[in-house]
């Protein structure tokens, strides 16, 4: 499932964001913002990936900036210890296996996505936010999640919701400038 932020949410992490929900339970929830690039490149962090095409790092959320998270569509036999999110997406896994996979010339784009930080909610906090219309719950293909880059993905997911939400894409990012 994905969470689509309502258009007036002004928080820098969540304004016009789409969050892939990784876990949701009685103890809390965890997700990754899939459409906010940081400007950082994974290749600069790991010498063995230096000569590959640039692999962007996304701002996953406001928590856990001391850890690089990743999602991917690779089977667990390629990336052991991965946690299955849905039929086609996995969370984290053996990072050395991932670096080997990428170093062998396999593409990252559309297959692997990296995040600094994550979005976290305490028990029942996300349910309350959904009830107060801060988020819409929807679904999206694994490919579009892996290829999402910026606010245009938020626009695309809102447009897919149909007529009741089409006006959202016309709301200004900063209502005071309207």
């Amino acid at each position: 499932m994905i969470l689509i932020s309502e258009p007036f949410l002004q928080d820098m992490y969540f304004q016009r964001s789409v969050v892939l929900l990784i876990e949701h339970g009685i103890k809390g929830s965890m997700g990754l913002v899939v459409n906010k690039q940081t400007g950082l490149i994974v290749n600069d962090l790991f010498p063995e990936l230096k000569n590959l095409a640039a692999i962007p790092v996304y701002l996953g959320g406001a928590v856990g900036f001391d850890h690089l998270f990743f999602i991917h569509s690779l089977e667990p036999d390629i990336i052991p210890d991965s946690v299955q999110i849905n039929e086609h997406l996995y969370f984290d896994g053996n990072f050395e296996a991932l670096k080997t996979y990428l170093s062998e010339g396999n593409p990252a784009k559309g297959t692997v996505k990296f995040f600094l930080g994550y979005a976290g909610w305490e028990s029942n906090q996300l349910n309350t936010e959904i009830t107060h219309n801060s988020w819409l719950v929807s679904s999206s293909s694994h490919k579009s999640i892996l290829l999402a880059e910026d606010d245009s993905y938020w626009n695309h997911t809102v447009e897919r919701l149909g007529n009741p939400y089409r006006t959202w894409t016309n709301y200004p990012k900063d209502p005071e400038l309207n």
Side-chain angles (χ1 to χ4, degrees), residues 53-151:
I55 305 169
V57 177
Y58 289 79
L59 182 61
V63 183
F65 290 119
D66 59 343
H67 187 84
L68 187 66
F69 300 95
F70 62 97
I71 59 172
H72 58 90
S73 61
L74 303 168
E75 295 295 323
D77 59 326
I78 297 172
I79 309 296
D81 305 321
S82 299
V83 177
Q84 191 166 9
I85 300 170
N86 63 30
E87 185 180 350
H88 301 287
L89 278 177
Y90 299 87
F91 174 70
D92 275 354
N94 184 297
F95 193 67
E96 292 303 316
L98 177 60
K99 286 194 298 187
T100 299
Y101 173 84
L102 294 171
S103 296
E104 291 171 348
N106 294 299
K109 187 169 182 136
T111 306
V112 181
K113 196 167 199 171
F114 293 89
F115 302 89
L116 193 57
Y118 67 92
W121 294 268
E122 294 179 358
S123 178
N124 210 31
Q125 181 183 1
L126 180 56
N127 290 338
T128 301
E129 290 181 15
I130 291 170
T131 301
H132 289 109
N133 299 315
S134 294
W135 302 100
L136 287 176
V137 180
S138 188
S139 62
S140 191
S141 75
H142 73 285
K143 277 292 185 191
S144 66
I145 290 168
L146 289 166
L147 293 171
E149 293 183 344
D150 53 28
D151 284 355

